[in-house]
Amino acid sequence: MAILENTYAGLFCPAGGFHIDPLRPVDRALITHGHADHARAGHGAVMATAQTLDIMAIRYGEAFAGMRQVATPTRIGDVDVSFHPAGHVLGSAQIHISGRAGSVTISGDYSRTANPACAPFQPVPADIFVTEATFGLPVFRHPDPLDEIGKLLASVAAQPERAHLVGAYALGKAQRVIMLLRDAGWDAPIYIHGALQRLCDYHIAQGIPLGDLRPATIDRSTKAQFAGQIILGPPSAFAATWAQRFPDPVICFASGWMQVRARARQRGVELPLVISDHVDWPDLTRTITELDPAETWVTHGREDAVIRWCDLQQRAARPLRLVGYDDEAEA
Amino acid sequence: MKRFAQLLEQLAFSPQRTGKTRHLVQYFAAVPDPARGYALAALTGDLALRKVTPSMLRALVAERVDAELFALSYDFVGDLAETIALIWPGGGGADPPLPEVVEELAATAKTALPGVIAARLDTLGPSERYAYLKLATGGLRVGVSGRMARLAVADFGTLPLTEIEELWHGLTPPYTSLFTWAEGGAKPVNAAKAPFRPVMLSTPTDAKALAALDPADFSAEWKWDGIRVQAVCDGGVKRLYSRTGEDISAAFPDVLDALSHDAVLDGELLVRRGDAVAPFNDLQKRLGRKTVSARLLASHPAALRVYDVLIDGPDDLRALPHHARRARLEALPLDPARIDLSPLLRFDTWDDIAALRAEPGDPVIEGVMIKHRQSPYLAGRIKGHWFKWKRDPMLIDAVLMYAQRGHGKRSGYYSDFTFGVWDGEALVPVGKAYFGFTDAELKELDRFVRTHTTERFGPVRAVAPEKVVEVAFEGLAESSRHKSGLAMRFPRINRIRDDKPAAEADTLETVRAMIPR
């Protein structure tokens, strides 16, 4: 019996009787982090970090699963299970499983760039390393995020009569942008769309300072007050009438996808900010080299290029081709 | 190089002209000569560095990157220069001066180019690599026309655009004398033969406005649906310019050949077969070419219909009144096969003009031009001298089909509309419009789109076929590139027809019947 199988509902550990980040409701799920394509509601029992469980409760309500359990090193069925920091977003973890059939580390989504919201990625060697491949193409080399924030601040200074509307996903990216702005010396209030409020509040409650945040929900008659201000919202809000309340807005978008110009243009972005919470190509390939697993499994993203790289390095690798991860969301 | 790379990014992502102009003005103010002049030349297409081909770049990158990884990346990114800029191994932070880079590219022999380019790519960061490759291959694709770039120079130096356009063809990169002038120095002397002279433009008018004027003070001509050009012959040098000063000579050797007398002529460029003037669509086939085949010259012969003369031999006539210039024009030796006179219309009253305008007798006439007999030839659009009274636009009632979100002040509004007409039971799209409506109508349309969305494709929404709009447009031609087989010119939304049910909107058959034959 293999330590890990690829099933209809997602990755499954037969010796432990549980799924990891299942795509469909299952009896028992281990969840790496709170992004919607990994953490779904409706499982029988969920094990995850305390923060991921809190985030799921915020997103789906307290009744998101039949039973919940905070991750600690433990034995489930015939395997030992442990959770390790992934450096992706608040609460994110890799999952390590070992048993008679060998060992596996499932990265979930991970990043090796410092992020004050979470503990840094911890390399956990195993026989099999399951890596994400969101930015698994050699064109992806993320720049220093502080330089990207510098671009935003320079644009605000050069166009003080316009509002800067920054698209950022609600979990992780929004708080990351806020923290980077604070690091860069932006002490003014930052306005946030209502959809970001609860997760920002939760970060603050977890001891992550975000400074003066205010709701961007003032009536239209006061449009001019947003001139020169920075407003954060989920990208979906940019299509809504919400965007109409701001004066001649500069549409910005904080995402690793912004490295590719066509992506930025398709979204109508005027100021692309390449800020990612995933590994870029150099970090992804470096991680595989460092962990030196007997086998690398590649999931959601650009599997083909990572597999090709493994071939060139004479490493055993296979694509998982899991269906259902939204590899372009929350990146 | 870093500042230039930053400029290209700003330009590429600014959706509006005003934003692009602002970035350009800031660049000209911040960057010294000769770098800013080379940047300007790159934008206006006057930097002749055309030796670098895509195949040369592909070969270069193949030496550094696995072919399969490159192919996967190119497939994802979709632009060769951008893929190479991002994938090129290593990443220096070098910031060589732009002039050094340009002069190196210009001076390097073709065989040595790959080595020189690779060495540069090794030292530059990704954004600078992209700028460098776009510079080397020409075609910056940042949505800036030559005119817009010159307009930014005019803004930067608070100079009249018309004077810059007049000088432009006598200037060469890096345009140091132009920037000296922009910063308060002496105006450059025009040294080039056959330069462009800024053209005189007209303002729209109608029966009501004309009623206040005395018809005896004016002369009138047909307004032909071609393109406005200036033909210059100056000591053997011949040029054809668009009204914004773009040199379009290369596409019209037949017209150039017909210029023999030293003069500057103002007229309409048309495709003319014998006496028959062809629709604008035929002329369009001749536009925008670097060379033109003998076959196209034979099937689509170009001609000039002249209406003014600015310079005749040694005499600058621009200060003379219109009627005196007209007399000089009529006395010029012209090659009648390629160049003829725009005839004056006979009229006594404005009602006569209105009657002529209503029945022009030729589908390629798009209205009348009315010119004050005493007007000198003035650069730009000065009120009170030349008027255009265009024929009424064509109108159809169409059904809204798709909408896309706008930019800048229209962020968050669905403001770009695709509309269609009935072809049997189905709607077929016939055009796109993003102006013509009032702010209140925009809000109404935006609300309609949001509440009647049936499908979403990225930033585009399909809407239920319920909203009828009256679309006005200036011309209609057959087109094999559109599903409907039709191409409209200047379509805009004239008004919203809430009084009309969608089923009563026009049919494709009705619209096709409007094509001028």
Side-chain angles (χ1 to χ4, degrees):
Chain A
M1 192 159 52
I3 185 79
L4 201 62
E5 291 175 354
N6 191 5
T7 71
Y8 172 71
L11 291 172
F12 179 66
C13 175
F18 57 82
H19 287 81
I20 292 126
D21 293 353
L23 301 154
R24 288 163 191 86
V26 297
D27 289 343
R28 178 152 204 164
L30 274 57
I31 305 285
T32 59
H33 66 283
H35 278 149
D37 52 336
H38 291 260
R40 291 165 197 260
H43 304 308
V46 165
M47 179 186 278
T49 64
Q51 291 162 327
T52 297
L53 292 172
D54 288 345
I55 289 164
M56 289 177 78
I58 290 170
R59 293 194 137 178
Y60 303 124
E62 291 296 336
F64 69 86
M67 223 179 76
R68 63 178 94 163
Q69 192 179 350
V70 175
T72 46
T74 185
R75 192 161 180 86
I76 305 177
D78 291 332
V79 293
D80 292 311
V81 171
S82 56
F83 284 59
H84 306 268
H88 174 56
V89 295
L90 180 63
S92 67
Q94 309 170 74
I95 297 173
H96 180 78
I97 308 166
S98 70
R100 268 186 306 238
S103 64
V104 58
T105 298
I106 296 129
S107 73
D109 289 339
Y110 65 110
S111 168
R112 306 200 67 174
T113 312
N115 178 351
C118 51
F121 176 89
Q122 180 194 340
V124 187
D127 301 330
I128 300 169
F129 179 53
V130 181
T131 183
E132 62 139 324
T134 306
F135 294 110
L137 277 174
V139 289
F140 289 110
R141 279 180 279 179
H142 301 325
D144 184 338
L146 264 179
D147 288 348
E148 298 299 293
I149 286 296
K151 281 187 200 166
L152 171 58
L153 292 179
S155 178
V156 172
Q159 306 176 81
E161 74 287 2
R162 302 178 74 186
H164 281 66
L165 238 59
V166 184
Y169 292 107
L171 169 59
K173 193 61 61 64
Q175 297 78 25
R176 183 92 188 287
V177 169
I178 293 167
M179 286 184 285
L180 285 164
L181 278 166
R182 299 307 184 202
D183 279 356
W186 182 264
D187 295 327
I190 295 172
Y191 295 85
I192 59 172
H193 182 278
L196 307 182
Q197 189 70 51
R198 295 184 68 196
L199 284 167
C200 284
D201 290 347
Y202 180 67
H203 276 72
I204 294 165
Q206 289 290 305
I208 297 152
L210 300 178
D212 185 358
L213 300 184
R214 298 187 189 175
T217 47
I218 295 138
D219 71 286
R220 282 158 203 237
S221 57
T222 52
K223 209 171 185 176
Q225 79 174 78
F226 289 109
Q229 302 297 335
I230 297 174
I231 301 112
L232 264 67
S236 56
F238 289 27
T241 52
W242 180 75
Q244 295 172 3
R245 72 184 63 175
F246 304 103
D248 191 9
V250 181
I251 302 295
C252 319
F253 188 31
S255 165
W257 297 116
M258 292 298 103
Q259 198 148 24
V260 174
R261 282 156 191 264
R263 295 284 160 137
R265 283 203 208 104
Q266 279 158 12
R267 284 182 169 267
V269 171
E270 186 170 346
L271 182 63
L273 302 169
V274 188
I275 300 174
S276 163
D277 40 28
H278 293 260
V279 275
D280 60 3
W281 177 263
D283 278 349
L284 200 171
T285 51
R286 169 169 72 96
T287 303
I288 296 173
T289 308
E290 234 175 75
L291 292 174
D292 195 21
E295 242 183 86
T296 302
W297 293 6
V298 189
T299 174
H300 60 290
R302 268 116 290 278
E303 287 110 320
D304 295 342
V306 179
I307 300 288
R308 172 66 182 169
W309 179 85
C310 288
D311 286 350
L312 291 171
Q313 306 292 315
Q314 292 167 338
R315 290 184 169 280
R318 62 178 261 217
L320 291 181
R321 310 219 186 275
L322 294 173
V323 177
Y325 288 108
D326 186 359
D327 64 39
E328 305 236 344
E330 312 203 63
Chain B
M1 195 72 197
K2 282 192 176 173
R3 188 64 182 81
F4 179 64
Q6 185 197 9
L7 174 70
L8 290 192
E9 272 178 20
Q10 289 169 332
L11 294 176
F13 291 118
S14 299
Q16 294 154 311
R17 281 177 71 98
T18 46
K20 289 184 203 278
T21 307
R22 176 164 48 194
H23 288 307
L24 281 166
V25 170
Q26 283 170 356
Y27 179 83
F28 294 144
V31 174
D33 290 322
R36 59 185 172 184
Y38 282 125
L40 176 61
L43 290 165
T44 57
D46 288 289
L47 207 58
L49 305 169
R50 296 283 156 77
K51 288 176 281 186
V52 180
T53 59
S55 61
M56 182 193 289
L57 296 179
R58 282 171 186 276
L60 264 186
V61 76
E63 290 171 16
R64 309 280 175 126
V65 180
D66 173 61
E68 192 177 327
L69 286 177
F70 182 80
L72 288 166
S73 298
Y74 183 32
D75 185 48
F76 185 85
V77 174
D79 178 282
L80 184 66
E82 186 177 357
T83 310
I84 296 174
L86 291 171
I87 209 171
W88 195 264
D95 189 12
L98 182 63
E100 178 188 308
V101 169
V102 170
E103 284 155 18
E104 179 182 76
L105 281 170
T108 306
K110 188 159 184 173
T111 49
L113 263 180
V116 166
I117 293 173
R120 283 288 179 193
L121 293 178
D122 281 340
T123 63
L124 297 170
S127 182
E128 291 73 34
R129 285 198 287 254
Y130 177 78
Y132 178 73
L133 290 168
K134 286 288 170 188
L135 202 61
T137 51
L140 298 180
R141 292 179 178 278
V142 289
V144 174
S145 64
R147 181 178 160 81
M148 204 191 293
R150 290 190 286 274
L151 185 66
V153 176
D155 268 17
F156 165 62
T158 47
L159 304 172
L161 176 62
T162 52
E163 291 187 34
I164 294 178
E165 286 179 337
E166 183 160 358
L167 283 171
W168 185 256
H169 293 278
L171 302 173
T172 50
Y175 308 113
T176 317
S177 61
L178 177 64
F179 283 106
T180 303
W181 181 36
E183 287 179 332
K187 182 176 172 179
V189 178
N190 204 338
K193 285 254 183 198
F196 170 73
R197 271 79 172 189
V199 302
M200 181 159 179
L201 301 172
S202 60
T203 52
T205 190
D206 54 30
K208 215 173 121 194
L210 287 172
L213 304 172
D214 181 355
D217 291 338
F218 291 86
S219 59
E221 302 161 54
W222 293 123
K223 185 178 189 326
W224 293 90
D225 188 12
I227 69 163
R228 178 84 180 272
V229 290
Q230 183 174 96
V232 188
C233 180
D234 180 6
V237 179
K238 301 174 186 182
R239 297 240 188 281
L240 198 62
Y241 295 107
S242 75
R243 74 177 173 88
T244 57
E246 303 293 339
D247 186 344
I248 56 168
S249 310
F252 296 96
D254 43 356
V255 174
L256 288 197
D257 279 349
L259 301 172
S260 52
H261 177 75
D262 269 14
V264 177
L265 300 173
D266 188 359
E268 203 74 10
L269 182 64
L270 302 162
V271 163
R272 177 159 66 82
R273 302 181 183 99
D275 288 336
V277 177
F280 183 80
N281 205 37
D282 282 32
L283 177 62
Q284 214 156 21
K285 294 196 168 60
R286 291 285 306 268
L287 295 173
R289 293 175 181 273
K290 291 201 178 91
T291 58
V292 52
S293 69
R295 222 174 97 192
L296 195 60
L297 282 173
S299 65
H300 292 69
L304 277 184
R305 186 149 285 178
V306 293
Y307 32 67
D308 216 323
V309 52
L310 285 67
I311 292 171
D312 177 7
D315 305 332
D316 189 335
L317 310 179
R318 286 180 282 183
L320 296 183
H322 181 256
H323 65 85
R325 294 199 310 278
R326 176 78 196 188
R328 292 286 290 260
L329 180 67
E330 288 173 3
L332 284 178
L334 302 175
D335 170 0
R338 290 285 132 242
I339 307 177
D340 62 5
L341 276 175
S342 164
L344 295 178
L345 302 178
R346 298 167 60 111
F347 69 102
D348 295 313
T349 66
W350 295 128
D351 285 344
D352 295 344
I353 291 287
L356 286 163
R357 172 180 172 269
E359 296 286 338
D362 189 317
V364 196
I365 289 171
E366 55 166 10
V368 285
M369 294 297 302
I370 297 159
K371 298 176 178 175
H372 200 290
R373 292 169 48 78
Q374 301 302 328
S375 292
Y377 194 94
L378 301 166
R381 201 182 299 278
I382 319 272
K383 279 194 176 158
H385 298 278
W386 284 13
F387 301 98
K388 58 183 167 196
W389 190 13
K390 288 178 93 163
R391 69 174 170 219
D392 293 330
M394 297 189 218
L395 298 173
I396 57 164
D397 290 324
V399 182
L400 217 56
M401 296 180 69
Y402 304 99
Q404 185 167 0
R405 285 201 302 282
H407 293 291
K409 289 192 167 62
R410 286 172 166 185
S411 280
Y413 287 96
Y414 284 87
S415 59
D416 298 10
F417 304 101
T418 301
F419 46 84
V421 292
W422 295 108
D423 184 15
E425 294 291 294
L427 278 173
V428 50
V430 288
K432 279 179 92 164
Y434 43 92
F435 64 104
F437 35 77
T438 63
D439 285 355
E441 284 171 330
L442 173 60
K443 278 191 180 152
E444 182 188 333
L445 290 168
D446 178 71
R447 212 175 312 119
F448 173 81
V449 171
R450 290 174 191 284
T451 49
H452 294 79
T453 300
T454 55
E455 271 185 281
R456 296 162 196 239
F457 319 90
V460 178
R461 290 188 181 198
V463 296
E466 291 169 24
K467 193 78 159 177
V468 178
V469 289
E470 182 180 84
V471 176
F473 52 98
E474 296 302 318
L476 193 64
E478 306 229 24
S479 163
S480 54
R481 282 192 297 173
H482 298 85
K483 195 174 162 193
S484 61
L486 296 171
M488 281 180 181
R489 286 172 67 205
F490 305 121
R492 67 249 182 207
I493 291 179
N494 214 35
R495 61 190 172 123
I496 300 171
R497 297 287 310 258
D498 282 334
D499 54 318
K500 200 157 206 183
E504 288 175 25
D506 281 315
T507 64
L508 188 58
E509 201 174 50
T510 337
V511 181
R512 291 195 69 89
M514 296 169 82
I515 298 178
R517 312 271 169 196

